[in-house]
Amino acid sequence: MASPSSSAADPAQHKYLQCLTNHSSTPISQAIYFPTDPLYTSTLESNIRNLVYASDSTPRPLFIVAATHVSHIQSTILCCKAHGLQLRIRSGGHDFDGLSYVSPSPFVLLDLFNLRSVTIDVESETAWVNSGATLGELYHEIAGNSKILGFPGGVCPTVGVGGFLSGGGYGNLMRKHGLSVDNVVDAIIVDSDGRVLDREAMGEDLFWAINGGGGASFGVIVSWKIRLVPVPETVTVFRVERTLEQGASDVVHKWQLIADKLHEDLFIRVVLIPVPITSGDEEKFTIKAKVFRECRQLVELLGKEFPELGLKKEDCLEMSWIQSVLWWGLDDENNTAALLSRELQSIKSGKRKSDYVVTPIPKASLEGIWAKMMESGKTGFVFNPYGGAMDEVPAAETAFPHRAGNLYKIQYSIGWKEPGVEAEEKYLGDIRRMYSYMTPFVSKNPRRAYMNYRDLDIGTVKRGSKNSYAEGKVYGDKYFDGNFERLVKVKTAVDPNYFFWNEQSVPVLPGKVEL
C-alpha cells in the first residue's frame, strides 16, 4: 500500500495529501500513490489494456487514488476541484482510446479496482455490484448462488462493470433480455459537489442519463443494482468456420437477411479475420452462437432457416449458462475460477471503431469488402445481430439509442505488437481506410457509433472550449442520436461547470438549465 511518508517531502504532494485527508471521513493516505511511491507504476499499469497508452511519452497522473471507501471518491472530487486538476475515472481499463486513465492536462487517476464487491439476492433476483468489479467477478458470484439466473453482460470477463454498464454494454443475451442498462434498477453516484445519491435522490433524468450516456460525464458511479434474468439449466453453443472457398460469402449474405429475425432465443455472431492460409492469404469467417434451445432443435431449426450454414449436430455443445460464459470468453468452459482473473491472455496495441447496418449489404459488395480487408492487412470485423428484445425497447427509454431499425452492429478491430510510432501510424491508417471504405454500406445522417467502442477519430471537445456544444454535437449525435439533446440538458443541470470533462464527454449549454 502507499505510504504517507513517501509523499511528504514534495510540497505539492503534501498539499494534495492534506486536502484529501481533510475531506475524507475515513483514512485515505494508504490509498494514495504518488510517482515517488514504489507501487505507483504497477498500480497505473495494472489496468492498461492498450499498449498505445503505455509508452514513455504517455502523460501520467499526478497521483492515483485507489479508493477503498466512498469518502475517498468524495474527497478526490472536492480536491481536484479545489486545485483545478482533471479527474479520470477507471474501473477496468478497457476504454479503447485510453480516456479513463490518460489526459493531456494535469490530472488525477481515481481507480475503482478496490471497490469490487458483488452481493446477490436470489429471492428478489437482483444484485448490487460495485463499479470496480469485473464482469467475470459478477458472473462468478451469480453462478455461485444460482444455476437458473444470469445477466446480459459482455463476453470479455476482465471488462470493468462501471464503464460497461454506463455505456450501454451488450452481450450474447441481448436479443433475449436486452442490454445491460435495460436491467439496471438503481445506482449510487457521487456528483460534482461530492454528494452521494441513489436513484431517488439523483432523480429520473440523471438516472436515465447514466444508463447508456456514459457515467464519467455525470459523476463517479460507485455501484449498481441490477436485475438478474432467468436462464435455462442447459444452453447450446456452436462455432463453425468457413473460408471464401467454402462459400463464406453466401453464408454471411444469408446471415444478414435472417439473424435479426430469428427467434430471440438465438444469438448468432459473425467474426471475420484475415488469416494466412497455406494456399495464400484469405479471410476466415467464424460463426459463433449461444442458443436457448437443445442441440437437436437448433440443428433442425437452422436446417430450415439457414441451410447455407450447414450446421451439424457434432458442431454443437450443450452446457450450463456459466460454462457458456467461459466457452465464449475464455475458450475453456470448465475453468470457473478463471473468471476471477484480471489478467489478459495478451496485451497489445490496438484500435477499435464501430458502425450500424440498417439494410443488407449486397453479396457483390460483401466480396468487395473481403478484397479490401485483405488489402488493409489485419483489420477484423465482428457482426453482432439485433432484433428480438432490441426491437422492443424504445430508443428514448435509456440514453442508449441504437434499437429498432438496426440489422446488426459492426466492430472493427486491429492489433499489433510492433513498437514505435511508425507501426502505430501504419496500423491506424489500415483500420481508418477500412472504415472509410465501409461508408456506403452503413447508417447515415448521422453515421452512428457505439460509445463503448470509444473512437476519438469521430470528434473531440477541447477542455475549456467556448464551443463545447458544437464540438460535442459532432460525436454526440453519432453516439446518442436523438437522445443527445436530452443528455446535454441533464449534463448542464447537474455539472454546469463542466468538471467531469474528457475528450468525448457530454458537453454543456451556456447558462442555467432546470430539469
Side-chain angles (χ1 to χ4, degrees):
M1 295 295 289
S3 168
S5 62
S6 67
S7 308
D10 184 286
Q13 293 180 3
H14 179 77
K15 174 181 66 177
Y16 298 141
L17 179 61
Q18 192 64 47
C19 181
L20 290 162
T21 301
N22 290 343
H23 283 94
S24 180
S25 63
T26 57
I28 192 173
S29 63
Q30 295 295 308
I32 303 169
Y33 300 88
F34 289 101
T36 51
D37 191 289
L39 295 179
Y40 171 90
T41 297
S42 61
T43 302
L44 174 63
E45 294 180 351
S46 63
N47 283 315
I48 292 178
R49 309 300 191 181
N50 187 345
L51 293 182
V52 168
Y53 305 105
S55 70
D56 292 339
S57 61
T58 302
R60 292 188 158 207
L62 295 174
F63 56 91
I64 302 166
V65 179
T68 59
H69 190 273
V70 68
S71 66
H72 298 167
I73 298 172
Q74 294 173 285
S75 63
T76 303
I77 291 172
L78 295 174
C79 290
C80 283
K81 286 180 68 175
H83 293 286
L85 301 176
Q86 255 295 292
L87 181 64
R88 293 292 155 113
I89 307 152
R90 183 168 73 176
S91 56
H94 281 267
D95 189 313
F96 288 134
D97 273 356
L99 298 191
S100 64
Y101 52 89
V102 178
S103 174
S105 306
F107 73 103
V108 173
L109 173 59
L110 176 60
D111 209 326
L112 303 179
F113 68 90
N114 283 322
L115 295 171
R116 58 209 288 183
S117 70
V118 180
T119 304
I120 308 295
D121 186 335
V122 173
E123 184 175 351
S124 67
E125 299 182 354
T126 61
W128 274 101
V129 53
N130 281 355
S131 285
T134 64
L135 292 177
E137 290 166 341
L138 171 61
Y139 298 151
H140 187 273
E141 195 67 20
I142 293 172
N145 283 269
S146 172
K147 296 185 184 302
I148 57 171
L149 292 175
F151 184 71
V155 301
C156 179
T158 58
V159 167
V161 164
F164 176 81
L165 286 177
S166 68
Y170 76 97
N172 48 35
L173 299 185
M174 62 186 277
R175 300 190 69 250
K176 180 72 172 178
H177 294 293
L179 300 174
S180 58
V181 292
D182 299 329
N183 296 278
V184 172
V185 295
D186 204 345
I188 304 295
I189 189 173
V190 183
D191 72 4
S192 60
D193 293 322
R195 298 180 300 170
V196 181
L197 309 170
D198 63 6
R199 179 174 182 171
E200 182 179 2
M202 76 176 81
E204 288 303 303
D205 287 292
L206 180 52
F207 182 73
W208 173 87
I210 62 175
N211 280 284
S217 282
F218 302 96
V220 179
I221 303 172
V222 183
S223 57
W224 307 77
K225 186 178 183 181
I226 57 175
R227 180 189 306 111
L228 304 180
V229 301
V231 294
E233 292 191 16
T234 301
V235 301
T236 301
V237 296
F238 69 80
R239 178 191 288 110
V240 175
E241 295 186 352
R242 296 287 185 268
T243 65
L244 290 177
E245 292 179 350
Q246 296 169 328
S249 292
D250 290 327
V251 173
V252 176
H253 184 256
K254 181 61 175 289
W255 175 90
Q256 288 187 110
L257 303 178
I258 65 162
D260 68 309
K261 300 174 183 64
L262 293 170
H263 192 279
E264 63 183 18
D265 282 354
L266 280 68
F267 179 91
I268 303 177
R269 163 188 275 189
V270 178
V271 182
L272 307 91
I273 304 174
V275 294
I277 300 178
T278 54
S279 59
D281 285 350
E282 190 174 344
E283 288 91 352
K284 179 175 73 173
F285 298 75
T286 302
I287 313 290
K288 295 183 72 174
K290 178 181 287 189
V291 183
F292 285 5
R293 299 284 181 93
E294 293 180 355
C295 177
R296 176 186 54 80
Q297 295 175 318
L298 176 63
V299 172
E300 181 179 343
L301 174 64
L302 292 186
K304 296 176 181 177
E305 301 283 346
F306 197 3
E308 293 83 357
L309 182 60
L311 185 69
K312 300 180 178 66
K313 183 178 180 180
E314 53 266 32
D315 295 323
C316 303
L317 295 171
E318 292 183 343
M319 58 185 64
S320 67
W321 169 75
I322 195 63
Q323 286 179 311
S324 75
V325 169
L326 290 156
W327 177 89
W328 200 288
L330 297 170
D331 286 326
D332 182 359
E333 63 268 25
N334 297 311
N335 187 10
T336 308
L339 292 170
L340 301 177
S341 173
R342 292 187 165 226
E343 298 295 323
L344 292 180
Q345 293 177 343
S346 66
I347 301 176
K348 53 189 175 183
S349 299
K351 175 68 178 175
R352 301 290 192 277
K353 300 177 82 67
S354 62
D355 262 320
Y356 286 87
V357 176
V358 297
T359 58
I361 301 173
K363 182 181 174 183
S365 298
L366 287 174
E367 290 171 346
I369 292 169
W370 313 154
K372 188 66 178 179
M373 285 181 70
M374 296 310 304
E375 179 187 319
S376 71
K378 297 177 66 175
T379 302
F381 288 54
V382 178
F383 293 171
N384 292 289
Y386 264 50
M390 293 301 294
D391 286 350
E392 298 168 4
V393 180
E397 185 74 16
T398 68
F400 179 95
H402 311 296
R403 304 286 188 166
N406 294 291
L407 299 181
Y408 58 97
K409 171 167 54 188
I410 300 176
Q411 177 190 171
Y412 307 89
S413 64
I414 196 165
W416 65 95
K417 292 189 175 182
E418 300 93 319
V421 174
E422 185 175 339
E424 180 178 338
E425 290 178 349
K426 175 193 180 304
Y427 290 112
L428 290 179
D430 288 346
I431 193 172
R432 287 166 179 161
R433 283 188 292 272
M434 191 72 246
Y435 180 78
S436 177
Y437 183 86
M438 292 294 294
T439 303
F441 311 117
V442 298
S443 62
K444 299 171 179 63
N445 301 316
R447 182 175 183 174
R448 297 190 290 273
Y450 174 44
M451 197 201 75
N452 272 359
Y453 294 161
R454 184 79 73 178
D455 181 8
L456 295 181
D457 290 347
I458 67 173
T460 59
V461 60
K462 298 180 180 65
R463 188 184 185 197
S465 172
K466 295 180 179 179
N467 299 311
S468 69
Y469 172 79
E471 293 173 4
K473 186 173 174 60
V474 174
Y475 57 84
D477 280 346
K478 295 179 176 69
Y479 286 143
F480 306 118
D481 203 13
N483 293 335
F484 174 68
E485 299 296 340
R486 184 181 176 188
L487 283 167
V488 172
K489 290 179 181 178
V490 175
K491 171 71 170 177
T492 306
V494 303
D495 186 23
N497 296 318
Y498 214 175
F499 171 71
F500 290 108
W501 169 88
N502 63 52
E503 290 86 340
Q504 285 192 339
S505 52
V506 174
V508 296
L509 292 166
K512 188 176 182 180
V513 171
E514 297 288 345
L515 295 175

